[in-house]
Amino acid sequence: MSALLEHVMSPEVRPFAIAAAMILIVGSIEVVSMLVGASLSEMLGTNIDFGHPSDNGVINAISWINVGGVPLLIFLLLLLGAFSITGFLIQDIARMVAGPLPATLASVGAVAVSIPLVRAASRGIARVIPKDESYAVGLGDLVGRIVIGPLDQGPPGRVSVADIHGNRHFVWAVAAPSSSPLPQGTMVLLVDRDGTRFVAVKADDELKPSKPTLSS
């Protein structure tokens, strides 16, 4: 045991031992934070967005390495793990051939090998971890039919609309100021919102279904 500890803490492998220790520390912090109702990964993931171009060269470099867009905590653990394992392997091979390399030289080699490994691992992990899905829609995506009308610039009528995700909504709407009255059953497009009421215009022909049916 003492021989193993002495090997791990020897100067030529010390950077890789520190990286391995950081993995244990970060993992322990994550476990503790989850037990108290928080998450280190969520806190890190909401501070920096690596998925879009930035004026910061460091962020752009991380975005290139983290090609899969995995959460920042997972990316850091991948990077530390690849650096630590690669460094120990480099020094073990060097020790068998001639002798351990200087820690600085071995670290440069470990970084050079780790970058493509982390990039490939990031791409692979991103394919299996769940993604956040957004169901946000714009007003221009809401097309529906007047079920209680007609719609004019007076009291609002009721419109049944379906968004691009297939979810159906029932909203109150009035006709746009430049629109003529829209009778019940008219296909409409929601283009604006005035307080709790939506503003509707008659839908173009290309937005209408081939066989429209009255939705209740």
Side-chain angles (χ1 to χ4, degrees):
M1 185 69 179
S2 60
L4 177 60
L5 183 61
E6 183 180 350
H7 169 67
V8 170
M9 295 306 297
S10 58
E12 62 269 15
V13 297
R14 189 167 298 161
F16 317 119
I18 293 174
M22 290 179 64
I23 294 176
L24 295 177
I25 294 172
V26 172
S28 300
I29 294 175
E30 171 68 1
V31 172
V32 172
S33 65
M34 292 180 65
L35 291 177
V36 299
S39 174
L40 179 62
S41 58
E42 290 183 1
M43 289 185 289
L44 290 176
T46 55
N47 287 336
I48 304 175
D49 182 8
F50 293 107
H52 297 87
S54 169
D55 295 332
N56 191 310
V58 175
I59 293 179
N60 287 333
I62 295 177
S63 298
W64 184 86
I65 301 173
N66 186 15
V67 65
V70 298
L72 181 57
L73 182 61
I74 295 178
F75 168 72
L76 291 176
L77 294 177
L78 283 174
L79 193 60
L80 290 171
F83 176 75
S84 178
I85 294 172
T86 303
F88 278 113
L89 288 176
I90 289 175
Q91 290 293 45
D92 287 341
I93 294 173
R95 188 177 289 108
M96 290 186 296
V97 173
L101 299 173
T104 301
L105 182 59
S107 297
V108 172
V111 170
V113 176
S114 298
I115 288 177
L117 290 178
V118 172
R119 180 174 166 86
S122 171
R123 189 192 301 272
I125 293 175
R127 294 173 180 171
V128 298
I129 62 175
K131 300 287 187 180
D132 293 333
E133 296 185 4
S134 173
Y135 290 92
V137 295
L139 291 177
D141 296 320
L142 295 175
V143 181
R145 184 181 295 277
I146 302 172
V147 293
I148 300 178
L151 296 189
D152 51 26
Q153 288 74 35
R158 193 78 160 171
V159 178
S160 170
V161 296
D163 61 31
I164 58 177
H165 304 291
N167 303 313
R168 185 156 294 280
H169 312 268
F170 292 88
V171 299
W172 294 103
V174 296
S178 59
S179 172
S180 57
L182 304 172
Q184 181 174 326
T186 302
M187 290 292 297
V188 295
L189 173 67
L190 303 186
V191 295
D192 200 356
R193 187 170 183 174
D194 181 13
T196 59
R197 303 183 302 178
F198 289 87
V199 178
V201 297
K202 186 176 181 181
D204 296 332
D205 291 338
E206 59 265 23
L207 296 177
K208 298 179 181 179
S210 55
K211 293 182 179 180
T213 57
L214 182 62
S215 176
S216 61

